[in-house]
Amino acid sequence: MFGAVVVGIGAAGWVRIRDMLAPLPGSPAEKLAVRGFISRRSLDTLEVSQISVEEAVSREDIHVAFICTENVLHEDNIRTFLQAGKHVCVEYPMTMSYKAAVELWDFAQEKGVILHEEHIELLTEDYKELKREVEGKILQEGTLHFTGGALKPGFGFPAFSGIARLTWLVELFGKLSVTAATIEEDSGNNYSKMTAKLLTSDNR
């Protein structure tokens, strides 16, 4: 049984705690026991104790940290728990730059612990159903639009608003290359739109 701490109590953090408190039979969550959570907010409505980072890194019964904070905070949190010899599972994206991600991968190897980046959308029923529908078919052409409001501070640059769904396409159709991209923003109406033209390895 692995003791776990959840860092960040937004939507993803709540889901992590829920799944560890009531794991589905046969799921990996059955091997995890949530020992506490870390949040900037003071929360007393959970069935789990709120603890500090200092306590989490020093406790021997905590083996893994689930990082569910704003994207810009991922790197520092990962580094803190790796330094303490803890395994880390982080919500996608791991960091805001490729260079930082490589450094953290190397650091995890040096410490002899696991650093796992998870794109939770690839585990949803919506994605699984889509994958079943396209299996065995040849892509002719497709369009995927990403629209939304302005990104909150700390959540990255505009392309990050749609990058999670772009990984659906890579999982479904293999390696993609970008041939063109445009961004439209209307701050007055809190609206943004990214349009990218992508080609598969066989130029479809």
Side-chain angles (χ1 to χ4, degrees):
M1 184 70 72
F2 282 85
V5 62
V6 176
V7 185
I9 307 297
W14 280 103
V15 169
R16 293 291 184 187
I17 290 176
R18 179 202 68 193
D19 289 350
M20 283 187 277
L21 289 175
L24 294 174
S27 71
E30 286 188 315
K31 297 179 174 63
L32 296 166
V34 59
R35 305 296 189 198
F37 71 91
I38 298 169
S39 176
R40 294 187 299 272
R41 296 174 291 159
S42 179
L43 301 170
D44 56 7
T45 57
L46 295 177
E47 301 174 47
V48 181
S49 299
Q50 184 165 2
I51 63 177
S52 67
V53 172
E54 293 75 19
E55 180 180 348
V57 297
S58 64
R59 282 177 53 171
E60 294 185 1
D61 65 337
I62 292 179
H63 310 95
V64 58
F66 287 88
I67 310 299
C68 309
T69 60
E70 300 93 330
N71 297 337
V72 74
L73 300 178
H74 286 182
E75 181 180 347
D76 288 344
N77 281 305
I78 292 169
R79 196 178 303 279
T80 295
F81 284 95
L82 292 181
Q83 181 64 51
K86 310 293 186 185
H87 304 294
V88 174
C89 176
V90 60
E91 297 293 337
Y92 183 92
M94 183 191 304
T95 64
M96 305 300 283
S97 75
Y98 172 78
K99 181 176 181 292
V102 171
E103 289 175 356
L104 291 174
W105 283 120
D106 291 343
F107 190 35
Q109 287 188 318
E110 289 174 16
K111 300 294 287 187
V113 294
I114 295 170
L115 172 56
H116 173 69
E117 178 186 43
E118 185 162 282
H119 181 6
I120 202 167
E121 286 194 16
L122 298 182
L123 306 177
T124 63
E125 286 305 315
D126 286 346
Y127 173 76
K128 291 176 183 177
E129 177 62 27
L130 180 60
K131 191 167 186 176
R132 285 191 289 267
E133 287 183 11
V134 303
E135 190 172 0
K137 297 178 182 177
I138 298 175
L139 177 68
Q140 299 299 320
E141 186 179 20
T143 303
L144 191 61
H145 294 290
F146 299 99
T147 60
L151 288 178
K152 298 176 183 178
F155 278 74
F157 48 89
F160 265 57
S161 63
I163 202 167
R165 289 294 171 85
L166 291 176
T167 60
W168 285 32
L169 300 182
V170 175
E171 285 286 321
L172 292 170
F173 304 113
K175 186 177 180 180
L176 302 172
S177 57
V178 181
T179 59
T182 59
I183 294 176
E184 301 172 35
E185 292 184 297
D186 183 348
S187 57
N189 292 313
N190 193 33
Y191 172 84
S192 63
K193 177 182 178 181
M194 178 181 71
T195 303
K197 184 176 182 181
L198 308 168
L199 289 178
T200 61
S201 58
D202 56 355
N203 291 321
R204 292 185 180 273

